[in-house]
């Protein structure tokens, strides 16, 4: 969705042409894979962070255009809501002191953006969902002034054919309706990219799917939505429902939502692109003039415009990405699981945990996905979103003697992370060649969260309840929680060290 989209009328001929172009793109992709035309591994990773804007009162600020004008940097761009921004960090090689380098770049970049936001009485907030957001903030009038968002909203609403229903039952139950896709803007995340060869793609994607629940358990940071305390990581259910083009009848038939975990382990990247075409109708049928099959036949590199555009409107938690760099095509796994924040240190700790873990799991002689049924991985993801740091997950139990039978045991997420996943993540970072001091510093943050059973979501909930106990009403307690969060976020100290409560 990063490509520029120009609005205009879409008729039946446009849709028919677009479907044909999508099939051509898929054929061209298959030929590129068959001819081994993809870039060699360079151990490259990329990082994107979606951000919120909030005033000193903790309320959302609809001023992203003004802030972007002041920032005046190509590293920042709009996101769906007028209270959103996104920052993109240039790709880095996963080795040496990359984690500390990323942390320093992020601190410098976000500090500068925060100062510029303050010029319009706002500030940068890294958080999964801003606690002070209300449903009246999330209307089409508050979508960013960009043609691609207007067209996406128009087409998704047309496909839906009725209001979007939001119904999430957690600590409390939230029910409301929306006339646009604007509620999706409440969800701000960290997106981790890893360039991989076609041969390694399936192993990395399967590993990422297997550990998505663990990522959420230790990294949850979105316990509030529209004034209600719902799931510890409320972004996934909100994202599913706010992008859902299915009316109830299609849901009853088992038609898949556009935001989904998936339904099986894979053997190749091609399978995911092919599934996206087979299961999901295009919502932005905009076609380019390129003939991708001819480009490949002539030895060129196709942009695959239609395929990449369509791929950007299917919201997998681990998404396949086709890209071109220096005239050479490559594949990436885009991990979209994590919420933003709470601090730069926390973001880099989550980054270290993910890259280390997928490297180690992808290279295991008996891969975890051969021992963990895919439906169990999906159930784990749901449990982690609901319960966060207190989740219990099912995981393959080590079988002595090397037998094929894989018994599953139900374990607290914190124990699984501490006893099994953190050592794997450390080994994976060693395999990448990351400095041991960086490895220990940032994985130590994950261990600290497990030891104290504290992440962003649990801190927010504890602080909110203490504010209620002090006599504040719900609205004021959420505002106090947000202001305190922003204060501690700017200290840079990892969230597990923050004192709970609204402070002075």
């Amino acid at each position: 969705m990063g490509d520029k989209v120009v609005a205009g009328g879409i008729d039946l001929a446009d849709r028919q042409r677009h479907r044909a172009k999508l099939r051509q793109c898929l054929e061209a992709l298959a030929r590129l894979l068959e001819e081994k035309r993809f870039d060699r591994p360079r151990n490259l990773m990329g990082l994107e962070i979606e951000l919120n804007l909030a005033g000193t009162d903790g309320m959302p600020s609809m001023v992203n255009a003004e802030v972007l004008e002041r920032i005046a940097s190509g590293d920042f761009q709009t996101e769906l809501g007028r209270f959103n921004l996104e920052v993109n960090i240039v790709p880095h090689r996963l080795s040496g002191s990359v984690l500390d380098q990323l942390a320093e770049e992020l601190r410098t970049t976000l500090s500068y953006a925060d100062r510029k936001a303050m010029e319009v009485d706002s500030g940068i907030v890294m958080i999964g969902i801003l606690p002070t957001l209300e449903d009246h903030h999330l209307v089409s009038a508050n979508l960013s002034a960009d043609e691609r968002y207007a067209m996406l909203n128009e087409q998704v609403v047309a496909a839906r054919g009725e209001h979007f229903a939001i119904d999430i039952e957690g600590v409390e139950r939230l029910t409301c309706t929306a006339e646009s896709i604007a509620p999706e803007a409440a969800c701000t995340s960290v997106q981790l990219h890893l360039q991989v060869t076609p041969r390694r793609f399936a192993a990395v994607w399967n590993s990422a799917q297997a550990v998505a629940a663990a990522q959420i358990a230790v990294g949850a940071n979105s316990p509030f939505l529209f004034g209600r305390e719902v799931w510890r990581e409320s972004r996934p259910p909100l994202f599913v429902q706010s992008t859902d083009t299915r009316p109830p009848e299609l849901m009853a038939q088992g038609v898949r939502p556009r935001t989904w975990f998936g339904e099986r382990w894979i053997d190749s990247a091609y399978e995911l692109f092919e599934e996206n075409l087979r299961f999901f109708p295009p919502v932005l049928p905009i076609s380019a003039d390129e003939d991708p099959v001819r480009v490949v036949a002539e030895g060129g590199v196709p942009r695959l415009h239609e395929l990449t555009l369509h791929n950007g409107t299917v919201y997998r938690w681990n998404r396949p990405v086709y890209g071109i760099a220096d005239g050479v095509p490559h594949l990436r796994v885009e991990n979209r699981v994590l919420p933003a924040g709470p601090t730069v240190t926390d973001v880099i700790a989550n980054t270290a945990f993910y890259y280390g873990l997928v490297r180690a799991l992808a290279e295991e002689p008996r891969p975890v996905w051969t021992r963990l049924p895919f439906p169990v991985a999906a159930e784990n993801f749901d449990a982690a979103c609901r319960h966060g740091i207190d989740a219990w997950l099912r995981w393959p139990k080590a079988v002595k003697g090397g037998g094929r039978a894989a018994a599953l045991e139900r374990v607290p997420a914190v124990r699984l992370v501490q006893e099994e996943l953190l050592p794997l993540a450390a080994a994976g970072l060693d395999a990448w060649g990351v400095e041991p001091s960086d490895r220990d510093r940032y994985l130590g943050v994950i261990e600290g969260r497990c030891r104290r059973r504290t992440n962003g979501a649990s801190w927010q909930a504890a602080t909110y309840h203490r504010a209620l106990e002090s006599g504040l009403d719900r609205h004021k307690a959420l505002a106090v929680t947000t202001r305190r969060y922003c204060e501690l976020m700017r200290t840079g100290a990892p969230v597990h060290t923050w004192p709970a409560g609204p402070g002075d």
Side-chain angles (χ1 to χ4, degrees):
M1 283 301 297
D3 290 340
K4 184 171 179 59
V5 172
V6 179
I10 296 173
D11 58 24
L12 294 179
D14 292 326
R15 295 186 181 278
Q16 290 174 327
R17 178 173 183 245
H18 191 75
R19 286 187 185 279
K21 289 298 295 291
L22 280 170
R23 289 192 293 271
Q24 291 171 9
C25 285
L26 197 62
E27 180 183 345
L29 176 66
R31 290 192 59 174
L32 288 172
L33 290 166
E34 182 181 350
E35 295 171 11
K36 298 181 171 56
R37 299 266 298 276
F38 283 86
D39 197 7
R40 296 176 181 177
R42 293 189 289 169
N43 296 351
L44 288 179
M45 56 82 67
L47 176 66
E48 302 170 346
I49 306 178
E50 296 166 347
L51 307 164
N52 285 278
L53 293 168
T56 55
D57 58 358
M59 303 304 292
S61 299
M62 307 296 171
V63 293
N64 67 353
E66 294 91 330
V67 173
L68 281 170
E69 184 179 0
R70 284 163 171 78
I71 293 174
S73 167
D75 294 338
F76 286 84
Q77 62 186 42
T78 57
E79 255 300 326
L80 183 60
R82 290 175 56 209
F83 57 94
N84 297 146
L85 296 176
E86 181 177 89
V87 61
N88 297 278
I89 302 301
V90 297
H92 284 62
R93 190 176 298 278
L94 257 171
S95 63
S97 56
V98 62
L99 298 176
D100 263 353
Q101 291 169 10
L102 283 169
E104 184 57 33
E105 285 181 35
L106 273 176
R107 289 189 189 101
T108 301
T109 300
L110 293 177
S111 177
Y112 171 74
D114 198 34
R115 291 196 303 273
K116 291 300 178 181
M118 289 177 182
E119 294 177 6
V120 289
D121 300 318
S122 189
I124 300 293
V125 189
M126 284 199 301
I127 196 167
I129 297 175
L130 197 65
T132 49
L133 273 174
E134 297 283 354
D135 53 357
H136 65 83
H137 294 125
L138 293 163
V139 294
S140 55
N142 284 333
L143 293 176
S144 290
D146 189 305
E147 288 183 345
R148 60 179 166 152
Y149 301 130
M151 180 174 284
L152 180 66
N153 180 61
E154 175 187 299
Q155 294 298 311
V156 172
V157 169
R160 171 78 179 182
E162 57 189 82
H163 289 178
F164 296 87
I166 308 298
D167 187 348
I168 306 172
E169 185 164 8
V171 178
E172 299 176 292
R173 185 173 184 178
L174 169 70
T175 58
C176 64
T177 59
E179 297 180 0
S180 72
I181 63 170
E184 180 193 333
C187 308
T188 43
S189 64
V190 171
Q191 290 138 35
L192 302 173
H193 291 255
L194 180 61
Q195 184 178 329
V196 295
T197 62
R199 186 178 66 84
R200 298 295 295 162
F201 185 96
V204 171
W205 188 87
N206 289 341
S207 298
Q209 289 285 99
V211 302
Q215 286 182 272
I216 287 287
V218 297
N221 196 28
S222 315
F224 299 107
L225 177 60
F226 304 164
R228 293 289 181 268
E229 183 179 359
V230 279
W231 292 13
R232 283 301 181 250
E233 187 50 49
S234 303
R235 288 167 42 257
L238 175 60
F239 213 110
V240 169
Q241 295 177 26
S242 63
T243 61
D244 201 344
T245 55
R246 306 168 302 164
E249 295 81 4
L250 292 185
M251 295 183 195
Q253 293 173 35
V255 173
R256 299 159 182 84
R258 296 192 81 92
T259 301
W260 70 324
F261 187 79
E263 58 192 23
R264 64 187 178 93
W265 306 117
I266 64 165
D267 295 315
S268 72
Y270 178 87
E271 295 173 26
L272 297 178
F273 289 103
E274 188 276 334
E275 277 188 351
N276 285 356
L277 266 62
R278 180 156 45 96
F279 293 153
F280 304 105
V283 293
L284 292 173
I286 302 167
S287 301
D289 292 332
E290 176 187 75
D291 182 337
V293 176
R294 177 188 293 178
V295 171
V296 174
E298 294 175 350
V301 177
R303 287 187 60 222
L304 303 186
H305 167 84
E306 295 81 7
L307 188 69
T308 56
L309 183 62
H310 179 63
N311 197 56
T313 64
V314 179
Y315 305 101
R316 294 179 183 269
W317 296 112
N318 286 290
R319 175 189 276 168
V321 177
Y322 170 88
I324 303 171
D326 300 323
V328 182
H330 66 262
L331 293 173
R332 303 193 304 273
V333 174
E334 180 190 14
N335 179 259
R336 304 163 48 81
V337 167
L338 291 165
T343 66
V344 168
T345 299
D346 287 299
V347 168
I348 301 302
N350 292 338
T351 299
F353 184 56
Y354 170 74
Y355 285 120
L357 203 46
V358 294
R359 172 70 184 258
L361 290 177
E363 295 180 352
E364 280 192 320
R366 287 190 60 208
V368 65
W369 59 90
T370 66
R371 298 174 285 132
L372 180 69
F374 194 93
V376 174
E379 291 166 8
N380 283 345
F381 183 71
D382 184 79
C385 291
R386 288 177 182 273
H387 305 294
I389 201 82
D390 296 319
W392 285 64
L393 307 177
R394 294 168 67 199
W395 196 255
K397 189 175 183 179
V399 179
K400 295 181 179 179
R404 294 291 299 173
L408 299 178
E409 60 177 340
R410 187 170 178 269
V411 296
V414 291
R415 195 177 91 197
L416 174 65
V417 171
Q418 286 177 302
E419 295 181 1
E420 184 167 347
L421 301 186
L422 274 173
L424 282 169
L429 292 177
D430 288 343
W432 286 121
V434 169
E435 287 285 348
S437 58
D438 271 24
R439 174 201 66 201
D440 295 343
R441 178 180 303 110
Y442 293 106
L443 293 185
V445 171
I446 304 297
E447 196 280 330
R449 290 186 210 155
C450 293
R451 182 166 27 86
R452 298 192 182 188
R453 301 182 78 90
T454 299
N455 58 15
S458 63
W459 182 90
Q460 288 185 58
T463 298
Y464 166 73
H465 284 286
R466 291 194 184 186
L468 288 178
E469 292 163 4
S470 74
L472 297 180
D473 63 24
R474 179 188 295 266
H475 178 80
K476 291 179 179 177
L478 287 169
V480 164
T481 298
T482 303
R483 291 197 298 269
R484 180 62 169 159
Y485 180 101
C486 293
E487 176 187 341
L488 293 171
M489 177 194 71
R490 289 186 172 97
T491 70
V495 70
H496 71 277
T497 66
W498 293 4
D504 297 332

